[in-house]
Amino acid sequence: MRESGTDRRRRILAVVEARGQARVTELAAELAVSVITVRRDVEELARAGRVRRGHGVVRSLVPRRSEPVPAPDGRGPVVLVVPERHAYLTEVLHGARAALEEADVRVVLHPAPQVAGAERTIVERLLADDARGVLIAPRWRNSVTEEADDGWLAAADVPVVLMERRPRPGSALHARDSVCTDHWYGVHLAVTHLLALGHRRIVLAARDDSPTARAIRAAFTDICAGRPEIEDRTVVLSAPGAGREPARDLRPLADVLRERAATGVVMHGDVDALMLVQQLAEAGIKVPGDCSVVAYDDVVAALGSTPLTAIAPPKAEVGRLAAELLLERLREPAVRPPRRITVLPELKVRGSTRPLID
């Protein structure tokens, strides 16, 4: 997989502006490219006056205050908490950060490491330091970790808005504000697109280690059950380690496609999709000649050797709306009832899908 040009530099700039600074080695790991490639991109961004280079470090040129500006009520910053090294949610937090800084609210970003209970430790420490609001996208790899967060997060005595997370019905967090992509609609767009092209045998290759992944899998099952024109459908894990438990036996996608005579695939997420398309090519299955592919996430889907048709959640918009909800709570805490905002994704048609040729 190779990332190049404007899209990759846009991602680098978004990460650097969201964090204030980033190490070149970290950027290379997150973008799955070489350090040399990142250095060249950083040099070009620096020449264009978009970032400032240091020894192994890239710094944002977005003005940052050296001292917090006191809020009208004298309290501290808003805390942004997302899983570390998560490109999808980096775009979400970038939208949130822009809205908060436009409102002259100080933002503190804390990426949460892949350690059980990491979000709670971060948030409780910052609340003790007088943070006045929380925007958070918990990792929630499974229902157990979601239930573990339910009580303490819902009980926080400051406004909390969940980003790209939909709390379980009836849970304590159900009564907190949240902004989330309508992933059911996203899967509907993907399946409807494949059906319109004549594909009747469809495979979902998806992760199963996040709330988004689980929503996509549930939506696929529900939508396919209601479409009688679908002759066959199945769900497989997109990659080893993409599930709640390690996959001991992960069959190659090419074998599944041949066994099911499938000609359409929905793949979540982008990086897995690009790797799976490579694996299909190595197995002699051409995209889109033998199989049409729709990726889900659209973070890097356009960067494949064959640009992938993709479902594009409105990531920055989710962050912006979440920040606006939080700002309303800070101004008038009890004026409105809690809200659950759902934003629709869109389908971006590229070169990886085409009509089925009998």
Side-chain angles (χ1 to χ4, degrees):
M1 179 181 69
R2 183 180 64 183
E3 298 183 353
S4 61
T6 302
D7 286 321
R8 186 176 62 244
R9 287 188 287 275
R10 175 181 59 81
R11 291 185 61 212
I12 290 173
L13 186 62
V15 171
V16 173
E17 288 187 350
R19 300 177 186 173
Q21 69 176 37
R23 299 191 64 80
V24 170
T25 52
E26 293 173 349
L27 290 169
E30 293 181 33
L31 273 65
V33 296
S34 69
V35 171
I36 293 174
T37 297
V38 172
R39 284 176 179 161
R40 289 172 180 166
D41 284 336
V42 168
E43 288 173 2
E44 185 161 339
L45 288 169
R47 284 195 297 270
R50 308 296 299 278
V51 299
R52 183 170 67 254
R53 297 168 55 203
H55 183 65
V57 176
V58 192
R59 295 184 174 87
S60 172
L61 293 180
V62 174
R64 302 181 70 85
R65 304 181 182 92
S66 56
E67 294 294 333
V69 174
D73 59 4
R75 300 193 69 189
V78 163
V79 179
L80 272 169
V81 182
V82 298
E84 66 176 352
R85 300 183 180 179
H86 199 304
Y88 179 106
L89 289 172
T90 294
E91 296 191 32
V92 173
L93 71 87
H94 191 56
R97 173 177 174 261
L100 291 167
E101 292 191 343
E102 184 178 343
D104 205 30
V105 173
R106 181 172 174 249
V107 180
V108 175
L109 170 64
H110 277 266
Q114 296 188 46
V115 177
E119 288 95 343
R120 181 172 186 173
T121 300
I122 292 169
V123 171
E124 290 184 342
R125 183 179 73 247
L126 292 168
L127 290 181
D129 291 338
D130 217 18
R132 60 188 181 123
V134 178
L135 288 172
I136 186 168
R139 192 177 301 276
W140 285 353
R141 289 181 62 90
N142 52 47
S143 59
V144 173
T145 55
E146 180 177 352
E147 290 171 4
D149 285 347
D150 190 48
W152 73 266
L153 191 53
D157 61 357
V158 300
V160 173
V161 180
L162 294 167
M163 303 183 297
E164 277 298 25
R165 299 292 183 258
R166 182 66 72 225
R168 292 175 297 110
S171 66
L173 281 173
H174 196 146
R176 286 286 193 171
D177 292 313
S178 62
V179 182
C180 189
T181 298
D182 187 340
H183 295 298
W184 188 97
Y185 184 71
V187 177
H188 163 76
L189 289 176
V191 171
T192 299
H193 177 64
L194 291 172
L195 289 174
L197 296 175
H199 301 282
R200 299 291 182 265
R201 307 179 71 85
I202 302 173
V203 172
L204 172 67
R207 307 186 66 85
D208 191 23
D209 57 357
S210 74
T212 297
R214 293 188 288 277
I216 289 170
R217 295 166 74 93
F220 181 78
T221 300
D222 179 55
I223 290 165
C224 289
R227 302 297 293 263
E229 63 268 45
I230 295 178
E231 298 173 4
D232 185 77
R233 87 266 188 173
T234 191
V235 179
V236 299
L237 201 62
S238 58
R244 288 169 288 181
E245 300 295 337
R248 297 180 180 177
D249 180 22
L250 185 71
R251 295 182 58 205
L253 180 60
D255 291 352
V256 176
L257 293 180
R258 291 187 176 114
E259 177 186 303
R260 315 289 297 215
T263 60
V265 186
V266 181
M267 296 183 177
H268 172 249
D270 279 8
V271 174
D272 288 342
L274 291 170
M275 295 177 66
L276 287 169
V277 168
Q278 280 187 338
Q279 293 170 16
L280 292 178
E282 291 166 0
I285 297 177
K286 299 177 182 178
V287 173
D290 302 315
C291 177
S292 285
V293 169
V294 180
Y296 200 105
D297 276 0
D298 202 38
V299 176
V300 294
L303 303 179
S305 54
T306 298
L308 302 182
T309 293
I311 301 302
K315 298 174 279 291
E317 180 71 358
V318 166
R320 183 187 68 80
L321 289 171
E324 290 179 355
L325 266 182
L326 188 68
L327 289 170
E328 288 184 14
R329 291 287 177 219
L330 292 174
R331 288 191 294 264
E332 301 175 298
V335 170
R336 295 175 180 265
R339 280 174 288 172
R340 308 182 79 184
I341 297 176
T342 302
V343 192
L344 300 183
E346 61 179 321
L347 171 70
K348 294 188 177 180
V349 179
R350 302 190 180 102
S352 64
T353 54
R354 77 175 192 184
L356 179 65
I357 300 174
D358 294 329

